[in-house]
Amino acid sequence: MPAEDAHRVVCHLDELLAARGMTVAALAEAVGVTPVNISVLKNDRARAIRFSTLTAICDVLGCQVGDLLSVTADP
């Protein structure tokens, strides 16, 4: 498997948004990115994220990075 397909990082943005009653569009506006960028992250299709974006998401959602992202066990 190519290295770029081998990541095991999972995003829990769905759960965080649902718990806060927030939409992708509202989060995107609050963070200052496009809804498409938030959707890519939410659907585990992101290959990278800027620390500034990650910080802004955590600030808006009132969470820590570990609440947003986790690493799954080896398959």
Side-chain angles (χ1 to χ4, degrees), residues 10 19-21 23-24 27 32 40 51 57 63 65 68:
V10 177
R20 287 152 179 81
T23 65
V24 167
L27 178 62
V40 166
F51 283 159
I57 290 171
C63 69
V65 175
L68 181 63

Side-chain angles (χ1 to χ4, degrees), residues 6-73:
H7 83 84
R8 300 183 335 258
V9 176
V10 177
C11 183
H12 305 287
L13 194 51
D14 268 343
E15 296 91 349
L16 292 169
L17 289 173
R20 287 152 179 81
M22 186 175 247
T23 65
V24 167
L27 178 62
E29 184 176 337
V31 170
V33 298
T34 67
V36 171
N37 285 339
I38 296 294
S39 291
V40 166
L41 180 62
K42 181 177 78 78
N43 295 319
D44 289 323
R45 293 187 319 238
R47 295 291 175 205
I49 184 169
R50 293 176 189 258
F51 283 159
S52 58
T53 302
L54 187 58
T55 301
I57 290 171
C58 289
D59 286 346
V60 169
L61 295 177
C63 69
Q64 295 293 313
V65 175
D67 300 324
L68 181 63
L69 303 171
S70 66
V71 178
T72 61

